[in-house]
Amino acid sequence: MVRTRKFQMRSHPSRSKVRRVRGRRDSQASAPAPTASDTPEELGPQPLSKREAQARDRAAAKAKRALIQYTVGAIIFSGLVALLVGIFLEPKLGVGALVALLCLTLSFKYPRQAIFAFIIYLPFSGTVTYALGGSSILQLAKDAIYIPALIGVFQFCQRKRQPFILPNSIKAPLAILLTISVMTLLFVNGPQQLASGGSEKPILMGILGLKILLGYLPLIPCIYYLIRNREDLYFLLRVQVVLVIACCALGLLQYLMLKTGQCQGTTGTGEQLFKASLDARCFVGGSLLYSPEHGQIRLPGTFVAPWQWGWFLISSGFFGFGTAFSDRSPFWRLIGLISLVSVAVLAVVSGQRIALIMVPITVVGLLILTGQVANLKRFIPVGIGLGFILTVLMIRNPAIVNERIASFQARWEASPPHEFVMQQLQWAMENQEGILGRGLGRGTNAARIFGETSLIETYHSKLLFEIGPLGILAVLGLYTVLTIATFKAYRSIKDPNLRGYAASMWVFVLFISYFPYYYPLDVDPVNVYYWLAAGITLKLPEIDKQERIRQRLEALAQKRKLSPRELKQLQAQVTAGDFG
């Protein structure tokens, strides 16, 4: 009897335990499961067991040792090579070799950091190039950062089975364009190589032309995988507006040094007073034109040439607008406003006529196309603040403003843009040969080191001249599909701040894809910023989804604690999408 009672006393707790386990399983089954798109780092730090903490510390120590060993080895190897180059050739070339080798080795090992370094270095590349002697090789220095990082991202995609071509919709038009480009390289540039007798290098010209046409398209997956969450996104966009302010400050200092006589400016006679030259270089950047007595001011800012600086200012207006209206922090919205003011001021003092007219047009267009003009909570402080500051500056400097406006009017009257575009298009139609054009690189200014090129000052005319009617249709098809994909991504976003950023980036992609004047997609920095903006826009829907799931999980966490198994699944899903 005692044994039976004892047995019953033991059996009751087990039955109650089964009931508790079943009840807990039922409650877990009825609760919504975490989704793959969420990141645990957005949910706040989770407690680790002692064993997990020790494993994490060991992994961190091992990674630190590997970093130190690899970096020290890269520095020693690069230093030895640079020393030999400096001794037997030239000290400046030795410095260049040191920097190039370090960039190559470290960028391949750490692609995330390399992509950030690439974006930061880009607006200062012209200044660095001419500070080290102005060699044409140094103008490709940024690719020593970009290409190894690109290889690292490609290997990550292969290892994690992630798509490398993004978005999926561009695969077909990209394949068509690549087919036409390779055919042009083989059947147009190839015969030219055979007929040149060694005086030209049309094959190398074609390879460089293809690199300029599509070389930075892989920035889309690089940026897509670089941005892991909301913090990465805001960091990237805030870095961009800080770069804009820094470059504008250096450009303004350049102007003041020329105005006060600390730099000599343009000297000479006749046509020399109306052309930009490296002899007049001042403080930062490359060639400039400063002849105020003849109404000629074309400053390069931090870039190689004045026209690159003008397009940097135009591009920066889109990034500054996004931060000024869409950043979640009032402080950073103020920084965005300062960047917009800086861009507007430098568009005037730098003498960039296209920036002078396009910066205000693009800002007004952004207000309308992004819907910010109806967002009174953001529009009133930012819009009125921007208008007030610019009005005060115009009132205090009427002579400079009137001089720039008069210069723009004179240029318009001498060569109206619409007539100029039609003239260039007509010339390209008359001079291009066959359905594959005159050959890749034949209209690309940077390819002139490999042979004779034609100066064509509008982008679509250049494409028609180089790769023929089929080629220009393929390029426009690629840009159109990308524009539609970024528009769909922008329209799918619910969060108002992220939606504002996406709208700014989509308008930039739309604007550059079809802008007929000049050739911004052929030169820095637009040939980088175009694909950068596309990558940001395509990533934003996933960030938006993460935000919505985070909010739902925070609400869920108030009701019950997430199980270790759920947290482990979330961690595995996030680390699967990280690289370097």
Side-chain angles (χ1 to χ4, degrees):
M1 192 68 178
V2 174
R3 290 179 182 173
T4 304
R5 194 180 298 119
K6 210 170 179 184
F7 175 78
Q8 290 174 349
M9 290 176 67
R10 289 176 180 170
S11 64
H12 287 311
S14 64
R15 286 200 299 269
S16 63
K17 184 177 180 180
V18 170
R19 285 196 296 269
R20 286 197 302 270
V21 172
R22 285 177 178 172
R24 186 160 58 247
R25 286 178 179 173
D26 293 340
S27 63
Q28 290 179 1
S30 61
T35 311
S37 299
D38 186 53
T39 54
E41 52 207 55
E42 294 289 341
L43 302 175
Q46 302 294 332
L48 297 175
S49 66
K50 185 177 180 180
R51 181 176 296 178
E52 289 174 336
Q54 291 174 348
R56 182 193 61 184
D57 294 340
R58 286 195 299 270
K62 183 178 179 181
K64 186 177 181 180
R65 287 195 301 270
L67 169 64
I68 294 173
Q69 292 173 359
Y70 185 87
T71 304
V72 170
I75 291 174
I76 293 174
F77 172 75
S78 303
L80 290 175
V81 175
L83 181 64
L84 294 175
V85 172
I87 292 175
F88 293 103
L89 294 177
E90 188 179 344
K92 283 188 177 182
L93 289 179
V95 174
L98 174 65
V99 174
L101 288 173
L102 282 177
C103 289
L104 287 169
T105 52
L106 296 178
S107 297
F108 179 76
K109 183 69 173 178
Y110 305 103
R112 288 195 75 253
Q113 292 78 2
I115 295 297
F116 271 122
F118 173 72
I119 294 171
I120 293 171
Y121 173 75
L122 177 65
F124 303 104
S125 58
T127 299
V128 174
T129 296
Y130 286 109
L132 296 177
S135 170
S136 57
I137 297 177
L138 291 172
Q139 296 182 16
L140 301 176
K142 65 181 185 300
D143 293 329
I145 305 174
Y146 165 67
I147 293 176
L150 175 62
I151 296 172
V153 174
F154 179 76
Q155 290 180 339
F156 156 80
C157 292
Q158 294 292 308
R159 186 171 62 252
K160 299 292 185 178
R161 297 184 179 180
Q162 298 289 330
F164 182 73
I165 303 298
L166 296 171
N168 188 61
S169 56
I170 71 167
K171 288 184 178 179
L174 178 60
I176 294 172
L177 177 56
L178 284 174
T179 301
I180 294 174
S181 299
V182 171
M183 290 175 62
T184 302
L185 186 64
L186 293 177
F187 301 125
V188 179
N189 291 78
Q192 291 174 359
Q193 178 74 41
L194 297 176
S196 66
S199 59
E200 291 186 332
K201 299 179 178 62
I203 290 293
L204 294 178
M205 179 185 294
I207 293 172
L208 180 58
L210 182 59
K211 181 261 180 186
I212 291 173
L213 179 63
L214 293 174
Y216 294 111
L217 184 148
L219 266 176
I220 295 179
C222 290
I223 295 300
Y224 187 90
Y225 296 116
L226 166 72
I227 302 173
R228 299 166 297 184
N229 50 41
R230 182 180 59 183
E231 277 63 36
D232 285 346
L233 171 71
Y234 280 113
F235 178 76
L236 174 62
L237 294 170
R238 289 167 179 175
V239 164
Q240 190 63 35
V241 295
V242 170
L243 290 173
V244 171
I245 295 173
C247 291
C248 288
L250 292 173
L252 182 60
L253 186 57
Q254 181 185 64
Y255 171 75
L256 294 175
M257 292 177 70
L258 287 163
K259 187 176 181 180
T260 56
Q262 297 183 47
C263 290
Q264 188 174 10
T266 302
T267 58
T269 58
E271 292 185 356
Q272 295 177 347
L273 296 173
F274 297 88
K275 290 183 178 180
S277 68
L278 282 173
D279 295 333
R281 182 179 179 271
C282 176
F283 185 52
V284 291
S287 60
L288 62 81
L289 170 61
Y290 187 78
S291 299
E293 64 276 9
H294 296 93
Q296 299 294 314
I297 298 177
R298 306 287 183 271
L299 304 185
T302 57
F303 284 83
V304 171
W307 32 269
Q308 290 181 336
W309 176 247
W311 278 100
F312 170 76
L313 295 175
I314 296 170
S315 305
S316 299
F318 290 86
F319 290 97
F321 182 93
T323 300
F325 281 92
S326 302
D327 198 284
R328 58 183 175 175
S329 167
F331 171 77
W332 283 103
R333 289 200 295 271
L334 176 61
I335 297 298
L337 175 62
I338 294 173
S339 72
L340 282 177
V341 173
S342 303
V343 167
V345 170
L346 268 294
V348 175
V349 302
S350 297
Q352 296 298 320
R353 290 180 291 234
I354 191 168
L356 179 67
I357 187 63
M358 291 309 303
V359 167
I361 288 177
T362 53
V363 170
V364 173
L366 281 166
L367 285 170
I368 297 172
L369 293 174
T370 62
Q372 294 292 352
V373 69
N375 185 3
L376 298 180
K377 184 179 178 181
R378 295 282 174 87
F379 174 71
I380 290 177
V382 177
I384 293 179
L386 178 62
F388 175 76
I389 294 172
L390 294 180
T391 301
V392 171
L393 292 174
M394 290 174 65
I395 292 173
R396 295 191 61 181
N397 301 276
I400 296 176
V401 175
N402 291 333
E403 181 182 339
R404 300 300 183 271
I405 293 175
S407 175
F408 173 78
Q409 291 175 340
R411 175 66 178 177
W412 184 288
E413 293 171 357
S415 178
H418 59 284
E419 293 183 3
F420 179 74
V421 170
M422 294 305 298
Q423 290 172 0
Q424 291 277 296
L425 187 60
Q426 182 66 32
W427 182 91
M429 293 174 65
E430 293 175 354
N431 288 274
Q432 75 92 21
E433 296 179 353
I435 60 173
L436 295 177
R438 296 288 292 268
L440 280 165
R442 283 295 180 184
T444 302
N445 194 38
R448 65 185 183 276
I449 59 174
F450 297 120
E452 183 181 355
T453 60
S454 298
L455 178 61
I456 307 174
E457 298 184 71
T458 58
Y459 184 66
H460 301 95
S461 300
K462 191 212 82 159
L463 292 176
L464 179 62
F465 179 78
E466 285 192 355
I467 52 180
L470 294 180
I472 189 174
L473 289 175
V475 171
L476 291 175
L478 174 65
Y479 292 163
T480 300
V481 171
L482 182 61
T483 303
I484 294 172
T486 51
F487 175 75
K488 290 180 177 178
Y490 145 61
R491 295 295 294 176
S492 68
I493 298 172
K494 306 299 181 185
D495 183 274
N497 291 331
L498 298 179
R499 188 181 178 90
Y501 269 126
S504 301
M505 298 297 99
W506 168 72
V507 173
F508 180 68
V509 172
L510 174 68
F511 170 70
I512 296 298
S513 295
Y514 303 105
F515 190 73
Y517 192 74
Y518 195 62
Y519 43 97
L521 276 168
D522 261 13
V523 294
D524 296 339
V526 178
N527 60 350
V528 171
Y529 288 164
Y530 177 80
W531 307 108
L532 169 68
I536 292 173
T537 309
L538 294 169
K539 183 67 175 185
L540 282 171
E542 184 175 329
I543 303 294
D544 180 57
K545 187 183 293 184
Q546 289 180 9
E547 287 298 296
R548 285 185 277 122
I549 292 173
R550 179 185 62 84
Q551 294 170 2
R552 289 201 297 268
L553 286 176
E554 284 180 349
L556 177 63
Q558 295 176 357
K559 298 179 182 179
R560 70 175 182 89
K561 185 178 179 180
L562 296 179
S563 68
R565 181 182 179 184
E566 291 170 335
L567 292 174
K568 187 175 181 180
Q569 289 175 347
L570 290 173
Q571 182 65 43
Q573 290 160 357
V574 172
T575 54
D578 284 351
F579 71 91

